[in-house]
Amino acid sequence: QPQQAESSSVGHLNDETNNIVPFVKEELIREWRLHLIDTGRSSLKANRKRNESPNSPWSVGVDHVGPDSVSAKEKLELKDIFIAVKTTRKYHKTRLNLLFQTWISQAQGQTFIFTDWEDQELRHRAGDHMINTNCSAVHTRQALCCKMSVEYDKFLESGQKWFCHVDDDNYVNLQNLLHLLSAFSHNQDVYVGRPSLDHPIEAVDHVRNDGSTTVKFWFATGGAGFCISRGLALKMSPWASLGSFISTADRIRLPDDCTVGYIIEGLLEVKMHHSPLFHSHLENLQRLRGEMVFKQVWPNFASSEWDSQRFLLCR
């Protein structure tokens, strides 16, 4: 019987993330400074040690993208990335305020806030980068898919090379994000993120050409964020653009992130790249060893276990 994507299975983090190592405030801040970006430059340079790493991110079976990557395939700048932050009215003054104080302040030109309410204070702060989707503020499948549909269309309009979706409780390490995406070409079919399940989801689909009534596919959980290349996003258009995303989601009756995976893996037959560098609120990030924290693309700070560390990471 088809399974919904509500459960989480995060027990198989890579081998680097097994034991809890206590964080010391002074050491954490000192280490974090090594990974700050220079906002005066047009591009972000990845840490030299990572660029020189000989380790391949690929492994047998599903594709995995680890903390160390292959040589860059194209020169990528921050301006090439469209970062969509999904939020709702109740978190404008809490979660969003924290994001504006930290990573968004370094990427305001690339970050777009997708919300469900016309907030004049937020409008003043974000300008036309605040997008009132006019979607419902209720946390339902239909409302989530409504917002994702608007995100997708705005990305296509932007002309940028990469579409990256995050929730309002994610801290984005811009340098690591840029380094990760530089390992790919935006013209190729690339879908990278982290699943919340340890197996592909199975969904009912009565409109398949092969006569089957179900389809299995991996999907990147929206709570951990994911990125899609422009080349792949354009191929998604028949099922995602101009409101088609909502009807596609209704077809399989699954939420927004599952629908993205359905279109990419189930319909386009493009395999997702699984990465341990993306994290959702379902995880206890204290399991990450100290040095591994700074290699993550985006940790999530909504988990109560992580709450005490989030401000140290963001400073």
Side-chain angles (χ1 to χ4, degrees), residues 27-151:
E27 291 184 3
L28 189 59
I29 295 176
R30 183 170 63 251
E31 288 289 334
W32 189 250
R33 284 173 180 160
L34 298 177
H35 296 264
L36 292 178
I37 64 172
D38 182 354
T39 56
R41 300 178 181 179
S42 61
S43 63
L44 306 177
K45 292 185 178 180
N47 180 280
R48 179 179 299 176
K49 291 183 179 179
R50 294 198 193 98
N51 283 339
E52 295 173 352
S53 172
N55 298 329
S56 169
W58 316 116
S59 60
V60 178
V62 296
D63 285 338
H64 290 273
V65 183
D68 298 306
S69 188
V70 293
S71 300
K73 289 190 176 180
E74 66 179 6
K75 184 178 180 181
L76 196 64
E77 298 182 359
L78 189 58
K79 67 181 182 180
D80 298 320
I81 305 175
F82 181 101
I83 306 176
V85 180
K86 183 187 71 180
T87 189
T88 187
R89 174 179 180 176
K90 66 181 289 189
Y91 292 129
H92 284 186
K93 296 185 182 299
T94 52
R95 293 181 178 182
L96 276 187
N97 188 50
L98 177 61
L99 300 191
F100 273 105
Q101 291 179 48
T102 54
W103 69 266
I104 288 183
S105 66
Q106 300 172 346
Q108 285 192 264
Q110 294 72 44
T111 306
F112 294 81
I113 311 298
F114 291 83
T115 187
D116 44 47
W117 183 55
E118 186 60 39
D119 184 335
Q120 292 304 316
E121 183 177 341
L122 180 59
R123 174 69 67 190
H124 177 75
R125 196 172 196 177
D128 59 3
H129 282 224
M130 186 200 101
I131 311 297
N132 182 1
T133 63
N134 293 311
C135 301
S136 171
V138 181
H139 195 75
T140 62
R141 175 179 65 83
Q142 292 84 353
L144 294 173
C145 291
C146 176
K147 287 181 181 177
M148 184 64 72
S149 176
V150 179
E151 289 181 34

Side-chain angles (χ1 to χ4, degrees), residues 165-179:
H165 163 93
V166 298
D167 282 352
D168 55 13
D169 54 0
N170 286 114
Y171 178 85
V172 179
N173 186 318
L174 298 166
Q175 176 177 322
N176 291 349
L177 175 62
L178 196 62
H179 176 63

Side-chain angles (χ1 to χ4, degrees), residues 53-73 162 179-185 188-193 271-278:
S53 172
N55 298 329
S56 169
W58 316 116
S59 60
V60 178
V62 296
D63 285 338
H64 290 273
V65 183
D68 298 306
S69 188
V70 293
S71 300
K73 289 190 176 180
W162 289 93
H179 176 63
L180 173 68
L181 298 182
S182 294
F184 306 100
S185 168
Q188 295 177 337
D189 297 338
V190 182
Y191 172 42
V192 59
K271 295 302 181 184
M272 169 188 165
H273 296 289
H274 297 226
S275 175
L277 307 180
F278 296 71

Side-chain angles (χ1 to χ4, degrees), residues 8-13 194-198 280 282-284 287:
S8 68
S9 178
V10 295
H12 54 290
L13 291 172
R194 188 188 190 114
S196 59
L197 303 173
D198 60 1
S280 76
L282 300 172
E283 301 173 52
N284 178 0
R287 297 181 63 187

